[in-house]
Amino acid sequence: TVVNNDGATVTLKDFPGVKIILAVLSVDTGVCDTEMRRFNEEAAKLGNVKVLVMSMDLPFTQKRWCGAAGVENVITLSDHRYASFGENYGVLIKDMRLHARAVFVVDSSDTVTYVEYVPEVATLPDFEKALAAAKAAK
């Protein structure tokens, strides 16, 4: 359960089909900015694959960042209220109340088919492996 940019509560079921889910530290960090811009470009080429970006940022912060960055092909979602995404996907850094960097590919039956937990938050994920997994998911 997370919050969208309009403040509404949503779940995985609100996003049918194949999904790439990014767990990022904050939209206002350089590495996260680079990652989200790259996935935004790739999302335009992926057809029906949705790219969901999860962070602990407030929804209005995510919306502001997307507008300023011209990012329109990814969906930013906030875990700030419940932290349920972070807890359920194993990315919550509890003492900092932030997410560790990770990438998940979820198929249309909501089964996780690919996982990359990036060992260092200042490191980018393996874009090619994540994109290949998303293209292979059904």
Side-chain angles (χ1 to χ4, degrees), residues 110-125:
D110 289 339
T111 300
V112 176
T113 61
Y114 173 84
V115 176
E116 179 188 6
Y117 290 101
V118 180
E120 172 57 48
V121 294
T123 304
L124 290 167

Side-chain angles (χ1 to χ4, degrees), residues 27-108:
V27 297
D28 285 324
T29 65
V31 177
C32 297
D33 179 278
T34 299
E35 178 181 359
M36 291 186 293
R37 286 176 189 269
R38 169 74 187 273
F39 274 108
N40 182 63
E41 291 172 16
E42 298 295 341
K45 305 173 199 171
L46 290 173
N48 292 329
V49 176
K50 294 171 188 70
V51 178
L52 310 177
V53 180
M54 308 287 184
S55 76
M56 297 297 275
D57 293 305
L58 294 172
F60 62 82
T61 300
Q62 294 174 334
K63 188 173 185 175
R64 175 198 43 80
W65 181 87
C66 287
V71 168
E72 299 175 348
N73 299 317
V74 302
I75 301 165
T76 54
L77 299 165
S78 176
D79 198 25
H80 86 282
R81 187 176 295 160
Y82 308 106
S84 67
F85 169 79
E87 288 181 4
N88 289 319
Y89 281 76
V91 297
L92 182 63
I93 304 169
K94 290 183 181 183
D95 59 332
M96 297 175 70
R97 199 158 167 82
L98 295 170
H99 288 163
R101 187 174 315 286
V103 178
F104 306 91
V105 174
V106 179
D107 68 15
S108 58

